[in-house]
Amino acid sequence: MSSALHPAAQLARLPGWVALLLWTAVVVLPLYVLVVSCFKTTAEIYINPMGLPASWSPTNFITAWHRANLGQNLVNSLIVTVGAVVVTLLVSAMAAYPLSRFRLRWGTAMLGLFLVGIMLPIRLASVELFTLMADLNLLDSLFGLVCVYVAIRIPFAIFIFANFMRVLPRELEEAARLDGANDLQILFGIILPVVMPAISIVAIFTAIAVWNDFFFPLIFIFDNNLKTVPLAITSFVGQFRTDWGMVFAALAISLAPVLAMYLVLARQIREGAGAGGVIT
Amino acid sequence: MQRSHQLSAAVMLAPATGLLATFIILPMLLTIWLSFHSWSSQTGFETAQFIGLQNFFDLASSSSVGRDFKTALGNTAFYTVLSVAIILPLSVGLGLLVHQTIAPGGVVLRTILFSTYMVPMIAVSLVFSKLYSPTEGPLNQMLGWIGVPPQTWLSAPQTALVSIVLLNVWQQVGYFTVLAVAGLTQIPQSLFDAAKVDGANALQRFTSITLPLLGNTLLFSAVIAVINAVQVFEPVALITQGGPVNATNVLTYHIRRVGIERAQGGLGSAMAVTLMLALIVAITALFALARARSPRSA
């Protein structure tokens, strides 16, 4: 399309391209440093932070895997992430359906209440949440982590689901209702299959947020065998002598699945983020 | 029929409502309640002693408790305002540029731009702590190439908090650029064409069409950016521990220090409540500003 433009118009776009490329360089530099640091010794990271590593040996990855018990941490992160995604999808779809498609007198107020939930800064109440979790016997528990993550993600998920469900035609569920199907059957059999984009948006963004989170495991998890990947990695920082090569290798391991998913689903993820931002 | 509808709606809403109430709303309400109490966070809620507004008086006082709190509140405010003031214009600017690039390179650029959203804050913090190294750090080396003297970054109180803002900007701009692009695609091209016919230049088209019609997107972005910014924790906990000399001691970090390490739960709650009040004022102001500017709301 741009090749059809007049050369002068092409030239007018040059500053824009330069600005974009500059920002791209800003984005790429830290990622580059992260990647090359995975293959360096701590001394090399300090002496030669920008250059290519002396050798591309996987030593740091092997150390990270063995010393940091990263396998167990990956399993923990996976359990928490999958658990949070599945439960968030279930409870949010169930809540969004009546709020967006039933004629309820209190429906709008209730939806508004959930939307306000997006704005609650729960980290400010972390001391109270900790004591509450202790009372509920949910400290040092992956289940407890899942509960908190689901509660945090519910407002956003309901918002997305409600946006997608609201615009579906009314005829969609009427036939099934005449056949005597109940609301749950209609939700899972008829509504959810046609809002697959909403399901993938909620699943992807919940997964990223939960997989990457450091704050809540830091508060709730003390048992080494229950630590998630981000918490495990940070416990190797700030010790007497931090093995930075290993820390960066571990960070790369934790980043790999998210980045792989991103490269496959880049378009959907970007459009999903956009869908979350466009209030209609 | 109508009654059973209400009943099944209530049943379907129960799990989400229960989870939100238990793990978000209840702790927030407990925070408000405890802010009027003396409470050691090493004991249960039942040990709290009502002391009225004493916690708030302590925070307002010129004692060391009050001074540290005001520094932390000021740091959080500075961090929030500067983050939003950089992120919003930058994301709209990048959004405009990305939106206009239809060339194949545009897709690659979008993919790279948004990729920072995938990088966990702990990785961003640790990588930047290396980039910021004072003497021979990569950033100072690069500044040297263009003749700029080395900066102190995280090692001096004057620059530490700004350095943390910059790493936050790096991570967040991609996300907000995507929001801006989504908003821009909603603006009908015909409006721009009509304005062009009327002789409006690029700047006039931006201020009279793009900016007003981007209002909802900007409001949403501003609110989310503020909520994210006031909860900053990872870079402070991982690389500065609030230093040097309290320059990066933001409130989420300070509340945990006071509430957990010194076990003064009530005092920490009062700090959280003060910040929440400030947040309510800020967000109400943002909504009022958006409503006053919006061409569609009558």
Side-chain angles (χ1 to χ4, degrees), chain A residues 9-23:
Chain A
Q10 292 259 29
L11 204 63
R13 293 195 163 182
L14 196 62
W17 276 102
V18 172
L20 268 181
L21 288 176
L22 264 178
W23 184 257

Side-chain angles (χ1 to χ4, degrees), chain B residues 113-136:
Chain B
L113 278 179
F114 193 60
S115 67
T116 59
Y117 184 76
M118 310 298 136
V119 185
M121 204 53 185
I122 61 159
V124 179
S125 304
L126 295 176
V127 170
F128 271 79
S129 76
K130 293 282 158 279
L131 292 176
Y132 283 143
S133 288
T135 43
E136 283 296 293

Side-chain angles (χ1 to χ4, degrees), chain A residues 4 27 34 42 54 62 84 122 148 173 211 217 228 237 247 250 267 277-278:
Chain A
V27 166
L34 171 59
T42 301
I62 295 166
I122 185 60
V148 171
E173 63 235 81
W211 181 269
T228 59
V237 178
V247 168
R267 230 178 79 108
V278 179

Side-chain angles (χ1 to χ4, degrees), chain A residues 103-124:
Chain A
R103 245 169 278 142
L104 302 168
R105 254 191 303 146
W106 38 272
T108 319
M110 192 83 183
L111 192 59
L113 202 71
F114 278 115
L115 291 193
V116 169
I118 294 182
M119 295 191 273
L120 292 178
I122 185 60
R123 285 181 176 203
L124 295 181

Side-chain angles (χ1 to χ4, degrees), chain B residues 62-133:
Chain B
S62 55
S63 63
S64 71
V65 169
R67 273 203 316 276
D68 287 349
F69 167 70
K70 280 172 229 161
T71 307
L73 185 64
N75 286 341
T76 293
F78 178 86
Y79 175 89
T80 304
V81 170
L82 191 59
S83 291
V84 177
I86 299 176
I87 287 173
L88 280 195
L90 191 57
S91 63
V92 171
L94 289 169
L96 281 170
L97 291 173
V98 169
H99 185 55
Q100 285 164 0
T101 54
I102 319 147
V107 177
V108 178
L109 277 179
R110 283 175 206 215
T111 304
I112 295 172
L113 278 179
F114 193 60
S115 67
T116 59
Y117 184 76
M118 310 298 136
V119 185
M121 204 53 185
I122 61 159
V124 179
S125 304
L126 295 176
V127 170
F128 271 79
S129 76
K130 293 282 158 279
L131 292 176
Y132 283 143
S133 288

Side-chain angles (χ1 to χ4, degrees), chain B residues 158-179:
Chain B
Q158 296 80 10
T159 52
L161 194 53
V162 176
S163 304
I164 294 196
V165 168
L166 293 181
L167 72 85
N168 181 50
V169 168
W170 181 87
Q171 202 224 15
Q172 302 250 304
V173 158
Y175 175 72
F176 289 101
T177 302
V178 169
L179 292 189

Side-chain angles (χ1 to χ4, degrees), chain A residues 66-113:
Chain A
H66 288 301
R67 241 183 69 198
N69 194 15
L70 218 51
Q72 181 61 49
N73 304 131
L74 280 166
V75 171
N76 295 338
S77 278
L78 198 65
I79 291 171
V80 173
T81 306
V82 171
V85 167
V86 170
V87 181
T88 303
L89 284 173
L90 273 178
V91 301
S92 308
M94 263 166 55
Y97 175 51
L99 288 180
S100 59
R101 300 194 60 82
F102 291 6
R103 245 169 278 142
L104 302 168
R105 254 191 303 146
W106 38 272
T108 319
M110 192 83 183
L111 192 59
L113 202 71

Side-chain angles (χ1 to χ4, degrees), chain A residues 46-61:
Chain A
Y46 278 107
I47 297 163
N48 181 22
M50 298 275 281
L52 293 172
S55 79
W56 293 91
S57 103
T59 320
N60 288 327
F61 291 95

